[in-house]
Amino acid sequence: MTSKKKFLLKLPIYILLSPFYLIKGIRNALQYLFKSLKFSIRRKITLNYLSLYVMIGIVTFVFMLGGFMRNELELKSGKIYIYVDNTFDKHESGVYDLDDITKRINAIAEVENCGIELTFINDSNHVISSERYLNYNYPDSIIDSIGAFIYNKMYSSKKIIYYINPTTDNMDTVTLKIIHPITLYYKQLNTLSIMLLTCIVFGFFFIWFFGSLNNKRILKPIYAMTKTAEKISITNMNERLDVSKAKYELKDLAITINDMLNRLNVDYEKQKRFVSDVSHELRTPISIVNGYASMLKRWGKEDEAILDESIEAIIDEAKNMQVLVENLLTLVRADNQSLKFNKEEFYMNELIEEVATESLMINAKKQEIVCEPCEPIKVFLDMQMMKQILRIFVDNAVKYTPPSGRIFIKCLIEDSNCVIHIKDSGIGISKEDLPFIFDRFYRSDESRTRDTGGHGLGLSIAKAIILGHGGRMKVKSKKNEGSEFTIILPI
């Protein structure tokens, strides 16, 4: 099989796939162009519009030209069909014989500038061809006819004519095949091509100009957001994006960014306060250590009392700083989700009784600590950390409850959870302070002194441990009436 024959066999597939290859090629070319050239987002959007318009223009151009040519050829084929059909009407009435039909076919072919072939579908299979048809030498196979369309610029159409055979009085059939030279329509095709290309080029520049202006208007809020974002810094965290000028998705984006900035601002303020509080907590023990170190340098060698007092104070403040650092490390591990829990089975009611007994023994204010009878509650938790959070809540209750006050502790099972209640009759917490009591270093204004001891990290540590075990907390408090902390832990 020759290479030309192979090409013609694959040609229908190439024609069907050509639009996909064309679109793929244009897409790859545009992708390479976008990657090699640094365009702004406005120009990229405009180029995407233009590339889509160009592809649609090409497809429209091809289909318009093909549709026009096919329509013209079908109209002409219909006209010829009428002429030939009229000829067979006269053949039916006996006016024309086969020689007359042949002359008539040649005359029609000459006038219409085409090739005509008639094939009688009967016993004789007689064929009448015009001279122009024989000169065109049009092939019969579909593959060869495609080659004739491409190389010889010819197009064929077939129609069926039914007539009454005057000899046999039977209904016979004739196949009418018409060959059209496409070159006859070059002038009309050129005119139509120029008109279409003019419209496509005009539309291209129209979309380019107005598309650029429209994209600039649409992207204007983004430029405003960029300028506003450039103003935001550590020293200017209060700047926010203007939501009023944005619409649709850009408005949602601006709102989301503003919310993010609000959260960052809150976290940054917390960080500044945290650093300030750590500095505040460390300043006092460091000052005490420096003071006693100076006393040791001056009089410690001669005066044993000063020596003992200084050493004892330095040791106490060192322990104080060690506790502070360990608490901070616990919170950091909780933040990084690296806080490890050594879970084991134990009875929560026994642990509560133990903590209540220890607190009563070391309670200098002599409040009444009441541990209400609890049913045996077996849990699988970190016992040492549970003991730590119980001490934190009980110590807080002791600190902020007057000597005549009472502290109640009880536990029970609710909805398959271990629920612990610690209630006191102390000074209570105001509504303004209640949302912040679990923040690090936070103390209410009335008690934010060193008289009550500690660093203000206890409740933060308790919260981290409880949340780490998958639990939760509730707080109820009223000023000058007391507070109640509820701890809910999974069994």
Side-chain angles (χ1 to χ4, degrees):
M1 186 182 292
T2 62
S3 58
K4 182 177 178 181
K5 198 79 170 179
K6 292 180 180 178
F7 172 75
L8 292 176
L9 285 171
K10 296 180 179 179
L11 189 59
I13 300 175
Y14 292 152
I15 294 174
L16 290 174
L17 296 178
S18 59
F20 300 100
Y21 290 134
L22 178 63
I23 293 173
K24 184 177 179 180
I26 294 175
R27 185 193 65 182
N28 293 337
L30 290 174
Q31 285 181 349
Y32 175 78
L33 182 64
F34 290 163
K35 289 180 180 179
S36 59
L37 299 177
K38 294 182 179 180
F39 288 138
S40 64
I41 186 172
R42 179 166 63 91
R43 291 187 177 179
K44 286 183 178 180
I45 293 175
T46 303
L47 285 176
N48 283 329
Y49 287 152
L50 293 175
S51 61
L52 181 62
Y53 173 78
V54 168
M55 287 188 285
I56 294 174
I58 292 173
V59 173
T60 303
F61 180 81
V62 172
F63 276 94
M64 284 289 288
L65 291 183
F68 168 78
M69 186 178 68
R70 181 178 177 83
N71 181 64
E72 290 293 318
L73 293 175
E74 288 298 326
L75 287 175
K76 188 172 183 179
S77 297
K79 182 180 177 181
I80 295 171
Y81 172 81
I82 293 173
Y83 291 155
V84 176
D85 188 57
N86 291 336
T87 301
F88 273 89
D89 288 343
K90 293 182 178 181
H91 177 60
E92 290 177 356
S93 60
V95 177
Y96 286 166
D97 57 11
L98 291 180
D99 291 336
D100 294 327
I101 292 175
T102 302
K103 294 177 182 179
R104 182 64 178 165
I105 292 302
N106 276 304
I108 295 173
E110 288 294 329
V111 172
E112 298 297 333
N113 202 355
C114 64
I116 300 174
E117 180 187 70
L118 296 176
T119 303
F120 291 82
I121 304 175
N122 50 29
D123 295 337
S124 64
N125 287 330
H126 185 67
V127 177
I128 299 176
S129 301
S130 67
E131 293 181 1
R132 282 183 174 270
Y133 185 88
L134 297 175
N135 292 335
Y136 290 153
N137 192 22
Y138 197 82
D140 293 327
S141 67
I142 297 176
I143 295 177
D144 290 338
S145 63
I146 295 174
F149 176 78
I150 296 174
Y151 294 109
N152 301 329
K153 307 297 185 298
M154 292 184 185
Y155 174 82
S156 69
S157 64
K158 286 186 177 181
K159 295 184 180 296
I160 303 297
I161 297 176
Y162 299 96
Y163 73 101
I164 302 295
N165 193 322
T167 305
T168 62
D169 289 333
N170 294 327
M171 177 71 74
D172 284 348
T173 305
V174 174
T175 301
L176 170 63
K177 186 175 183 181
I178 307 170
I179 307 300
H180 302 279
I182 302 174
T183 53
L184 300 175
Y185 299 92
Y186 276 5
K187 186 176 181 179
Q188 294 94 322
L189 291 175
N190 288 336
T191 303
L192 182 59
S193 299
I194 293 172
M195 293 174 62
L196 287 174
L197 289 174
T198 302
C199 293
I200 291 173
V201 171
F202 176 78
F204 180 88
F205 286 103
F206 180 85
I207 292 177
W208 189 354
F209 179 74
F210 287 100
S212 298
L213 294 179
N214 190 48
N215 289 336
K216 186 177 181 180
R217 181 184 61 82
I218 294 174
L219 298 175
K220 189 176 180 180
I222 294 182
Y223 300 145
M225 291 180 191
T226 303
K227 291 181 180 179
T228 304
E230 290 173 352
K231 298 177 183 178
I232 299 173
S233 64
I234 294 296
T235 58
N236 183 21
M237 291 289 290
N238 296 320
E239 194 78 29
R240 293 295 179 269
L241 303 180
D242 187 3
V243 182
S244 61
K245 296 182 180 179
K247 294 181 180 180
Y248 310 116
E249 288 84 358
L250 291 179
K251 185 174 183 178
D252 296 337
L253 176 63
I255 293 173
T256 303
I257 293 176
N258 283 340
D259 291 341
M260 179 191 68
L261 291 173
N262 291 334
R263 294 193 298 270
L264 288 175
N265 194 21
V266 171
D267 291 339
Y268 178 66
E269 292 298 327
K270 287 182 179 179
Q271 183 184 14
K272 286 200 303 183
R273 181 178 175 182
F274 177 78
V275 173
S276 175
D277 289 337
V278 170
S279 302
H280 173 77
E281 295 293 335
L282 290 175
R283 185 183 297 113
T284 301
I286 291 174
S287 299
I288 294 173
V289 169
N290 285 334
Y292 278 102
S294 299
M295 288 178 62
L296 284 174
K297 186 177 181 180
R298 292 182 181 180
W299 305 293
K301 296 179 181 180
E302 292 82 9
D303 193 334
E304 291 186 2
I306 292 177
L307 178 62
D308 293 339
E309 180 186 352
S310 300
I311 291 174
E312 186 177 350
I314 290 173
I315 291 174
D316 288 342
E317 295 303 325
K319 289 181 179 178
N320 187 28
M321 287 189 287
Q322 182 181 3
V323 171
L324 174 61
V325 171
E326 288 176 354
N327 289 338
L328 290 173
L329 287 175
T330 300
L331 291 173
V332 169
R333 292 190 187 102
D335 291 339
N336 296 334
Q337 297 182 349
S338 59
L339 193 60
K340 296 182 179 179
F341 302 107
N342 298 318
K343 294 185 178 182
E344 57 183 306
E345 289 186 345
F346 63 94
Y347 287 93
M348 181 62 76
N349 57 300
E350 295 179 357
L351 182 63
I352 291 174
E353 292 174 1
E354 179 184 342
V355 172
T357 302
E358 292 175 355
S359 301
L360 192 60
M361 290 176 60
I362 62 174
N363 185 8
K365 297 173 73 174
K366 302 301 181 182
Q367 297 106 329
E368 185 180 358
I369 301 177
V370 180
C371 184
E372 299 182 6
C374 303
E375 59 179 309
I377 301 176
K378 193 175 185 180
V379 295
F380 184 70
L381 302 167
D382 189 319
M383 187 172 68
Q384 294 301 321
M385 288 194 173
M386 291 300 106
K387 191 172 185 178
Q388 182 181 359
I389 65 173
L390 287 172
R391 283 176 174 170
I392 289 171
F393 285 111
V394 173
D395 287 348
N396 268 4
V398 170
K399 287 177 184 177
Y400 301 112
T401 301
S404 60
R406 303 178 72 187
I407 299 169
F408 298 90
I409 308 173
K410 68 175 180 179
C411 68
L412 61 150
I413 297 177
E414 290 182 1
D415 299 328
S416 301
N417 291 317
C418 175
V419 182
I420 304 170
H421 296 274
I422 301 173
K423 185 177 181 180
D424 64 64
S425 58
I427 62 175
I429 306 169
S430 66
K431 291 182 179 180
E432 294 77 13
D433 294 323
L434 202 57
F436 309 105
I437 60 173
F438 292 103
D439 291 351
R440 299 166 190 182
F441 296 107
Y442 187 84
R443 301 177 203 171
S444 59
D445 294 338
E446 289 81 1
S447 60
R448 194 171 176 80
T449 65
R450 295 182 61 85
D451 296 338
T452 55
H455 305 99
L457 294 175
L459 292 179
S460 300
I461 294 172
K463 178 183 177 182
I465 293 173
I466 293 170
L467 294 179
H469 280 82
R472 61 186 190 275
M473 297 168 294
K474 296 179 181 179
V475 185
K476 292 191 297 183
S477 185
K478 194 171 183 180
K479 195 70 173 174
N480 299 322
E481 292 187 10
S483 305
E484 181 179 0
F485 289 84
T486 303
I487 305 168
I488 304 170
L489 294 164
I491 294 178

